[in-house]
Amino acid sequence: MSDPLKTKSAYMWTRVLTSPFWAIYNMLPIILYKDLGASPIQLALLFTLKPLVSIFSIYWSAAISKRPDLLVRNIILAGVLGHLPFLFCPFVHSPWFYIAAFGLYMMLARGVVPAWMEILKLNLSSSSRDKVFAYGSIVGYLGNGLFPLTLGCLLDGYQEAWRWLFPIAASLSCIAIIFQLRIPIDCSQISTHKEKLSLSQQITKPWKHAWDVIRTRKDYRHFQIGFMIGGMGLMVMQPALPPFIVDTLQLSYTEMAIAFALCKGVAFALTTPFWAKQMKKIDIFRYSSHVTLIAALFPLLLYTAQLHLFWLYAAYIAYGVMQAGSELSWHLSGPIFAKNEDSIAYSNVNILSVGLRGAFTPALGSVLCCCFHSEFVMIFGSLLCLFATERMFSYSRRSSEADVIAQ
């Protein structure tokens, strides 16, 4: 473990400098609809791309499996390529260009997660790694919650200001390269032999590695099953939220902004250190069961917002708490299960699972919304999260019993 301060500095500055870009990037669907007249089909494609591109993200990270010498290069190249299209915003007017840029950036942003997690695993102790990731998440999430308030004023006051905000924010993000180049990587144990693969082998290699991990690691397989069910519960209810919030609750923009940005963002920031401490005290299955239990409470609290606005804010406070725990669990589960092994394959399974459930779960939610009321879809999502809670907790209990018997 060498010079952890440079690794911490690089990770934290990356989160700080990319926060403004993430904030305006998340506003792109609204920009497309309002200023570029994007069609419903184009917007539907945009929402589908966000989880679906994770399937392709694994190819970006597959190249660095057991190649620590390529970790930093992988992160830097992804940053440059992901931000590059947004430098041309002042000159491009086609919604299709922005949809493609949106998908490319998300693919690369997810693709570098295994590289970052492996760097943190190599250069930091487990306790320090949890803290650095937790505080990095707080910085990123607060930026995503607070910057839109400032950006909203600029976008309202100056017509098409986003055309210049995108290249400015993209350039600011790329400054992080200065800190990333300083990350120390021990390359003394790297093999000089490079495996030559055919095109078909390169295409199937990440899937085979993911399958090998799932097949050989029973504990990680159970974790993925539980996390997949919980993720489906959250994702299936997303198409039901806009009609419920707009048509049933009839909220103003101010009320929605307070719930989405303030309540969720503050709850995330305040509870992330708590989740980081919990991760050290209990096993990841019990930890994740707490996350999915709170996820199950979210739609129930939101449903009660019909009685009083207080429950709307309570629901999004709960969502922020849940998301803080979920971020840590999703990102750090790879290094936790890998232990002394290379964690790239484990993190790739996480990314792949997001893409797989993103390929069909939002569509399922949309179909259910057409057939039933939005409240039914929200309750259905809550039941899935409860089922995931039961699966995670049951495996945690069985693992504890097995450890007692072994002793």
Side-chain angles (χ1 to χ4, degrees), residues 77-104:
L77 188 58
V80 172
L81 293 177
H83 291 100
L84 185 61
F86 293 94
L87 299 179
F88 299 95
C89 286
F91 317 107
V92 181
H93 301 273
S94 170
W96 292 112
F97 172 83
Y98 295 99
I99 291 171
F102 182 92
L104 175 65

Side-chain angles (χ1 to χ4, degrees), residues 127-140:
S127 59
S128 179
R129 179 182 65 213
D130 294 349
K131 284 183 181 178
V132 170
F133 182 82
Y135 287 117
S137 297
I138 292 173
V139 168

Side-chain angles (χ1 to χ4, degrees), residues 104-167:
L104 175 65
Y105 181 81
M106 181 53 65
M107 182 193 77
L108 293 171
R110 289 236 171 92
V112 299
V113 168
W116 269 119
M117 294 305 101
E118 182 66 9
I119 286 173
L120 296 182
K121 184 172 81 73
L122 290 173
N123 291 351
L124 304 177
S125 65
S126 59
S127 59
S128 179
R129 179 182 65 213
D130 294 349
K131 284 183 181 178
V132 170
F133 182 82
Y135 287 117
S137 297
I138 292 173
V139 168
Y141 208 89
L142 281 179
N144 294 345
L146 298 178
F147 275 115
L149 302 177
T150 305
L151 293 172
C153 296
L154 290 172
L155 293 172
D156 287 336
Y158 301 93
Q159 187 176 10
E160 294 195 343
W162 58 270
R163 291 192 179 276
W164 299 101
L165 290 173
F166 264 120

